[in-house]
Amino acid sequence: MQMPVLFVAGLAFVIGLERTFRFFFQKHKMKATGFFLGGVFVVLIGWPLIGMIFEIYGFFLLFRGFFPVVVGFIRRVPVLGSLLNLPGIRSFVDKVGESNNMV
């Protein structure tokens, strides 16, 4: 339960309260925000596993525009970049690294 609360609090400290609010409540991100905050609520009412699944799904929806940047960065790190180019991992990373959605 601590992780999503600390994540949102940390985000608010880094970019400010107003920008955090604008990030989560953009019109095209309402579904993702609903799953993320709904997962927090479900955890609070006593169903932690289902709530965490909702939170993870909402997190991936919220930040899917950042995944290509992260994958590109990791590919430039010497040891990790080599691991991402292994045959079984490369196809998965290529799918995660491609994005048609802008942040």
Side-chain angles (χ1 to χ4, degrees), residues 2 31 36 62 77 79 85 102-103:
Q2 297 171 356
K31 176 182 173 184
F36 186 76
L62 279 169
V77 175
V79 175
N85 286 326
M102 296 302 291
V103 176

Side-chain angles (χ1 to χ4, degrees), residues 23-90:
F23 174 78
F24 278 101
F25 293 101
Q26 293 175 18
K27 196 170 196 170
H28 65 280
K29 292 184 179 182
M30 290 305 288
K31 176 182 173 184
T33 300
F35 272 102
F36 186 76
L37 297 178
V40 172
F41 177 74
V42 171
V43 167
L44 288 174
I45 63 171
W47 293 357
L49 185 61
I50 295 172
M52 286 175 19
I53 291 169
F54 284 176
E55 290 173 10
I56 291 169
Y57 180 66
F59 179 84
F60 282 117
L61 288 178
L62 279 169
F63 294 100
R64 68 179 167 203
F66 293 114
F67 292 143
V69 175
V70 171
V71 168
F73 175 78
I74 292 174
R75 280 194 168 147
R76 285 186 227 115
V77 175
V79 175
L80 296 177
S82 300
L83 290 173
L84 293 183
N85 286 326
L86 292 174
I89 299 172
R90 183 180 181 119

